[in-house]
């Protein structure tokens, strides 16, 4: 039988952790300036910009007309925007080195000749941030996708609708796609986020006649999903880079935050029994935001287990033909996903089944029959049946039961195939002990964000560097490092997590 099993190990153990740090700075070209210059010498304008932005300019005065009269108007605009008004990007290039911007004139190149960046100048990534809201209700749009068009580079918004996207300078003029279920997509130049950090998404629904909804039955839809797997999902292994975050709260207070960069050797979806393999590149553990009360809460499996939420790869029971008779299905409606209609197929376990069936919904692309999103979990009966799998160990005299379990998985379209994009697991447990007068709730949230996808010839990772289902993630990583993330894309922390960390580091 196939199933998702988040194995939980609850044990009495206190851990001493170290203090946190801040995210490193991005490109100096992100800095904002305000300037209003009417026919002033270029050198005068550059001096004003230099003073405001605390940067220095270097250039060959014989190639640039420094006494040229220029006009520029900008209110709270990025250096990138202002300098591109002064120096045509087709004619000039901007290179930064610490707090210095080097302006060079583009040389005419012979056909086929390519430019090479000097190895001596470190690459400074652009850190693009913003907030996405529903245009009508002005509510934050959580877990919206922000990605570079036709490239496996992107991130998602947090629960507050905020995001942080780190881009190599070569992508700053590329097109971004901003999308979320039930909203119209937005296409915009990446550099626009340097000057505008509020994005409004337009809610979109489509009305269709009932006959069009019922024109395909749930059984036929599931059959089409399985028959089109080879067309929709890759038949070749991929090497994925991913960000993983695991948080635990006890009675609403954060007690642990752990993060990592991992590599996933993604096995082909078609005609293979190979499993995905995960290895740790670097990881860190944040300080305890509040002291542990009574007992520590640990998750087994970590990044390995959350990759098993790829329901297409694992052929979860609500997709598998052999288990189809254990579920009731209903096509409830059609909504737009990336401007293309998708069926929403709802499912729930039939009565009196002997295993923990899931309840939830999957979004199925109406044209290709690819699964592009799935949300599923357990009802009350399923939680009771899943308890022996979810809770692996408790201290003597302590009772633990799951009170809420929900999983999410999203796929992105890249190079003609649907690829794993994000997964999320949210689990709550009630912990009680009459002897010790304990009545507490633990809430664990695990997030995985795929940040890069590359073809690979790798067949396996070494056993000593691979995660297993039995591994405890927090026991395999180091302490908090202020410059840990470098240029890796992450999921920006929610406001409540940032506030909790701020209280800790300030000593309040």
């Amino acid at each position: 039988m196939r199933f998702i099993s988040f194995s939980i190990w609850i044990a009495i153990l206190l851990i001493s952790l170290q203090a946190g740090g801040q995210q490193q700075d991005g490109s100096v070209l992100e800095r904002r300036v305000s300037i209003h210059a009417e026919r002033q010498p270029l050198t005068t304008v550059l001096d004003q910009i230099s003073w405001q932005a605390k940067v220095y300019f270097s250039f060959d005065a014989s190639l640039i007309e420094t006494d040229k009269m220029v006009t520029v108007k900008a209110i709270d605009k990025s250096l990138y925007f202002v300098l591109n008004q002064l120096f045509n990007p087709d004619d000039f290039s901007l290179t930064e080195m610490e707090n210095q911007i080097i302006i060079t004139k583009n040389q005419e190149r012979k056909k086929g000749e390519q430019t090479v960046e000097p190895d001596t100048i470190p690459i400074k990534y652009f850190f693009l941030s913003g907030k996405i809201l529903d245009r009508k209700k002005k509510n934050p749009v959580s877990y919206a996708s922000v990605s570079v068009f036709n490239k496996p580079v992107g991130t998602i918004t947090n629960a507050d609708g905020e995001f942080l996207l780190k881009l190599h300078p070569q992508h700053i003029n590329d097109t971004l796609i901003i999308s979320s279920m039930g909203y119209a997509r937005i296409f915009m130049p990446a550099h626009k986020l340097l000057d505008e950090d509020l994005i409004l998404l337009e809610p979109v629904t489509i009305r269709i006649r009932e006959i069009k909804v019922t024109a395909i039955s749930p059984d036929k839809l599931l059959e089409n999903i399985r028959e089109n797997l080879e067309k929709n999902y890759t038949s070749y292994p991929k090497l994925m880079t991913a960000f993983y975050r695991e948080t635990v709260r006890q009675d609403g207070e954060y007690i642990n935050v752990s993060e990592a960069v991992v590599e996933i050797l993604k096995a082909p979806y078609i005609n293979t029994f190979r499993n995905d393999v995960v290895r740790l590149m670097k990881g860190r553990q944040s300080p305890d935001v509040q002291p542990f009360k009574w007992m520590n809460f640990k998750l087994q499996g970590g990044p390995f287990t959350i990759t098993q939420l790829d329901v297409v790869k694992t052929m979860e029971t609500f997709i598998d033909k052999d288990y189809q008779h254990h579920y009731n299905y209903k096509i409830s409606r059609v909504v737009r996903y990336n401007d293309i209609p998708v069926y929403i197929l709802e499912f729930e376990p039939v009565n009196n089944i002997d295993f923990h069936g899931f309840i939830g919904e999957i979004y199925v692309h109406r044209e290709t029959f690819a699964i592009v999103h799935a949300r599923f979990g357990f009802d009350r009966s399923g939680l009771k049946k899943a308890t022996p799998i979810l809770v692996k160990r408790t201290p003597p005299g302590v009772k633990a039961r799951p009170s809420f379990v929900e999983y999410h998985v999203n796929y992105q379209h890249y190079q003609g195939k649907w690829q794993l994009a994000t997964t999320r697991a949210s689990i709550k447990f009630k912990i009680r002990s009459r002897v010790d007068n304990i009545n507490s709730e633990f809430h664990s949230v695990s997030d995985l964000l795929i940040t890069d996808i590359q073809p690979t010839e790798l067949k396996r990772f070494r056993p000593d560097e691979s995660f297993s289902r039995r591994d405890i993630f927090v026991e395999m990583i180091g302490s908090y490092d202020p410059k840990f993330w470098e240029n890796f894309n992450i999921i920006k922390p929610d406001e409540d997590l940032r506030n909790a960390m701020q209280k800790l580091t300030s000593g309040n």
Side-chain angles (χ1 to χ4, degrees):
M1 181 182 300
R2 303 178 180 88
F3 51 79
I4 302 299
S5 58
F6 259 78
S7 301
I8 309 300
W9 178 10
I10 303 175
I12 296 177
L13 178 63
L14 298 180
I15 301 175
S16 175
L17 304 174
Q18 299 183 17
Q22 300 297 319
Q23 176 67 52
Q24 71 181 65
D25 293 331
S27 168
V28 297
L29 295 171
E30 301 168 22
R31 297 177 186 176
R32 300 286 187 93
V33 296
S34 295
I35 188 168
H36 187 163
E38 288 278 359
R39 294 191 55 77
Q40 293 188 23
L42 178 60
T43 51
T44 302
V45 175
L46 291 179
D47 285 343
Q48 293 181 45
I49 296 172
S50 178
W51 176 79
Q52 277 195 55
K54 295 180 173 58
V55 297
Y56 302 95
F57 295 102
S58 296
F59 52 84
D60 186 343
S62 66
L63 299 177
I64 295 176
E65 299 177 51
T66 55
D67 56 353
K68 177 183 176 181
M69 295 296 181
V70 297
T71 297
V72 60
K73 300 177 183 179
I75 299 177
D76 195 31
K77 292 292 186 179
S78 65
L79 270 179
Y80 182 88
F81 174 88
V82 174
L83 293 177
N84 275 284
Q85 306 304 304
L86 298 172
F87 301 96
N88 189 326
D90 293 332
D91 300 325
F92 294 92
S93 296
L94 306 175
T95 305
E96 64 174 285
M97 186 165 58
E98 296 181 351
N99 279 345
Q100 186 178 58
I101 296 176
I102 304 168
I103 305 170
T104 55
K105 195 161 187 176
N106 296 334
Q107 302 295 322
E108 291 188 6
R109 290 176 289 166
K110 297 178 181 179
K111 187 176 181 180
E113 185 181 3
Q114 296 183 358
T115 58
V116 179
E117 293 179 342
D119 294 335
T120 56
I121 301 178
I123 301 297
K124 291 297 292 290
Y125 275 53
F126 286 92
F127 288 10
L128 308 179
S129 61
K131 187 167 186 175
I132 300 178
L133 302 178
D134 181 299
R135 179 179 293 278
K136 294 181 178 179
K137 298 181 179 179
K138 300 300 186 290
N139 295 330
V141 180
S142 304
Y143 313 115
S145 172
V146 182
S147 59
V148 181
F149 181 64
N150 269 344
K151 292 183 176 66
V153 178
T155 187
I156 59 173
T157 57
N158 63 15
D160 305 313
E162 300 172 344
F163 67 89
L164 173 65
L165 177 65
K166 303 176 189 177
L167 277 189
H168 189 285
Q170 69 184 22
H171 295 317
I172 194 62
N173 288 313
D174 287 355
T175 299
L176 294 182
I177 303 177
I178 300 171
S179 62
S180 182
M181 294 288 182
Y183 292 90
R185 284 190 297 178
I186 290 180
F187 293 82
M188 62 185 296
H191 63 76
K192 193 174 181 181
L193 284 177
L194 293 171
D195 303 289
E196 300 178 18
D197 52 14
L198 186 62
I199 300 166
L200 303 179
L201 292 186
E202 189 71 41
V204 175
T205 58
I206 58 174
R207 302 286 183 180
I208 58 177
R209 291 179 298 172
E210 186 67 19
I211 189 171
K212 289 188 177 181
V213 175
T214 58
I216 184 170
S217 68
D219 288 350
K220 183 60 178 177
L221 184 58
L222 287 163
E223 181 183 338
N224 287 341
I225 290 171
R226 294 187 290 262
E227 288 181 349
N228 286 277
L229 288 177
E230 186 168 0
K231 181 178 71 175
N232 291 323
Y233 303 92
T234 180
S235 301
Y236 302 96
K238 299 288 183 180
L239 184 63
M240 296 179 168
T241 304
F243 165 77
Y244 174 75
R245 176 184 291 143
E246 189 176 285
T247 65
V248 180
R249 295 192 201 189
Q250 185 173 358
D251 299 325
E253 301 287 349
Y254 282 97
I255 58 175
N256 187 54
V257 180
S258 302
E259 301 172 322
V261 177
V262 299
E263 284 188 334
I264 304 169
L265 185 55
K266 192 72 180 166
Y269 282 80
I270 312 303
N271 298 328
T272 178
F273 294 99
R274 289 170 53 189
N275 292 320
D276 297 341
V277 186
V278 182
R279 69 180 175 190
L280 178 70
M281 294 177 64
K282 56 192 302 187
R284 69 176 182 180
Q285 189 175 17
S286 72
D288 293 335
V289 180
Q290 292 290 331
F292 284 106
K293 303 173 187 174
W294 308 306
M295 65 186 63
N296 190 6
F297 177 102
K298 292 184 179 180
L299 284 166
Q300 280 188 334
F304 168 82
T305 309
I306 202 169
T307 61
Q308 304 304 297
L309 292 177
D310 184 351
V311 295
V312 177
K313 177 69 175 65
T314 59
M315 192 54 61
E316 192 45 74
T317 54
F318 48 80
I319 305 171
D320 194 331
K321 184 178 181 179
D322 292 340
Y323 292 87
Q324 189 170 322
H325 63 284
H326 289 298
Y327 287 93
N328 293 320
Y329 297 90
K330 178 180 71 172
I331 299 176
S332 62
R333 62 195 188 279
V334 175
V335 299
R336 285 194 175 273
Y337 174 84
N338 292 344
D339 290 338
I340 300 174
V342 295
Y343 295 106
I344 297 183
L345 179 65
E346 297 180 355
F347 54 88
E348 62 181 7
V350 300
N351 293 330
N352 301 319
I353 62 171
D354 58 358
F355 70 96
H356 52 279
F358 293 106
I359 183 171
E361 60 186 17
I362 54 178
Y363 286 46
V364 184
H365 198 296
R366 199 173 70 171
E367 306 300 327
T368 65
F369 301 105
I371 294 177
V372 299
H373 169 76
R375 179 190 61 81
F376 56 104
F378 298 119
D379 58 13
R380 182 176 298 181
S381 174
L383 284 171
K384 186 176 181 180
K385 293 174 183 176
T387 297
I389 296 171
L390 292 169
V391 181
K392 285 298 184 184
R393 183 184 300 181
T394 60
V398 174
K399 291 184 178 181
R401 64 176 179 85
S403 58
F404 174 82
V405 174
E406 186 171 79
Y407 305 120
H408 291 258
V409 57
N410 290 290
Y411 299 86
Q412 61 182 330
H413 200 253
Y414 174 61
Q415 292 186 341
K417 299 289 185 179
W418 288 92
Q419 314 276 359
L420 183 67
T422 64
T423 58
R424 179 179 177 86
S426 179
I427 306 173
K428 294 181 181 180
F429 283 85
K430 296 286 188 180
I431 311 296
R432 291 185 179 180
S433 173
R434 292 184 178 179
V435 176
D436 298 315
N437 196 27
I438 295 173
N439 186 359
S440 192
E441 180 184 71
F442 287 88
H443 184 194
S444 172
V445 176
S446 302
D447 286 292
L448 185 77
L449 167 71
I450 305 300
T451 61
D452 190 37
I453 304 172
Q454 299 293 336
T456 182
E457 298 297 327
L458 278 172
K459 301 297 182 184
R460 60 183 62 85
F461 294 151
R462 293 201 324 263
D464 62 337
E465 64 181 9
S466 302
F467 274 100
S468 74
R469 190 181 298 275
R470 296 181 299 275
D471 289 329
I472 306 295
F473 173 61
V474 296
E475 295 178 351
M476 303 176 67
I477 55 178
S479 58
Y480 204 93
D481 178 1
K483 296 184 178 180
F484 180 83
W485 289 119
E486 298 173 335
N487 297 317
F488 288 106
N489 270 303
I490 67 170
I491 304 172
K492 191 174 181 180
D494 301 338
E495 183 178 3
D496 59 348
L497 176 56
R498 294 197 300 271
N499 290 340
M501 297 297 293
Q502 185 176 8
K503 289 179 183 178
L504 176 74
T505 56
S506 64
N508 294 333

